[in-house]
Amino acid sequence: MRLFAAVVPPPRVAEHLAAALDRYRSGDTSLRWTRVESWHLTLAFYGSCTEAQAEERGAWLRERLRGHGPVRLRLAGAGRFRGVLWAGVDGDADALHAIARAAGAEDERVVKEARRWHPHLTLARWRASRPPRVVSRVVDGLADYRGPEWVAEEVVLLNSELHPAGARYTAQARCPLTSSRPPID
């Protein structure tokens, strides 16, 4: 199992962004577009583990998130990292960062990624050293994009399984965001 913690946007939010991307995705083969039903905001990546370790990670994550309340979010704008085209996130950024920190996003003992955490939703990937031209068109075209707001009420512990058609994600644990006690630092 390869585990990570994520916030999953509701279908209406994903469908709104997918409609905005339709003109860029049709016929373009220079990018590997991610599947809309797989879209998520990764908070922390934990790496490979056993099934027993996944259960422990779920309990750990629920405890770490206790006291963190729901957060209002919106997909907005676009950008790129090396090899990744992404949609941005706005809304209650401070609360989202606090949730990511609680999930381990900035803890070197937990995180298996080299770069600093930046909230985003991966739209597509490429392998070439330079991004395909469509990447600039998408980033420019979505510069003023503001999707519908939603309230994230849970963090999902997901298992990533790699398949030829792309990664498939299955929920291993659901961790509600409630304000029942102060956050753990």
Side-chain angles (χ1 to χ4, degrees), residues 32-69:
R32 291 184 334 262
W33 294 93
T34 57
R35 296 174 319 135
V36 174
E37 60 273 13
S38 296
W39 283 352
H40 62 273
L41 311 173
T42 300
L43 301 175
F45 181 71
Y46 306 120
S48 298
C49 71
T50 66
E51 209 167 303
Q53 289 169 325
E55 287 181 30
E56 291 171 8
R57 177 63 67 184
W60 175 88
L61 187 58
R62 273 190 288 281
E63 182 61 28
R64 296 280 300 179
L65 294 174
R66 191 174 310 221
H68 288 274

Side-chain angles (χ1 to χ4, degrees), residues 7 20 51 58 68 77 115 129 155 158:
V7 170
E51 209 167 303
H68 288 274
R115 68 175 176 257
S129 59
V155 170
L158 293 169

Side-chain angles (χ1 to χ4, degrees), residues 156-173:
V156 183
L157 181 64
L158 293 169
N159 174 33
S160 174
E161 299 174 45
L162 301 178
H163 296 277
R168 302 250 188 245
Y169 306 119
T170 54
Q172 300 299 304

Side-chain angles (χ1 to χ4, degrees), residues 112-134:
K112 308 295 183 197
E113 294 181 349
R115 68 175 176 257
R116 187 173 173 267
W117 185 76
H118 175 81
H120 68 281
L121 184 148
T122 299
L123 299 172
R125 292 183 172 86
W126 68 89
R127 290 203 172 133
S129 59
R130 294 179 48 169
R133 289 185 183 164
V134 69

Side-chain angles (χ1 to χ4, degrees), residues 13 15-16 30-31 50 56 65 84 94 99 112 117 119 130 146 179:
V13 170
E15 291 163 6
H16 192 273
S30 60
L31 295 174
T50 66
E56 291 171 8
L65 294 174
V84 176
D94 291 340
I99 290 166
K112 308 295 183 197
W117 185 76
R130 294 179 48 169
R146 299 294 177 267
S179 299

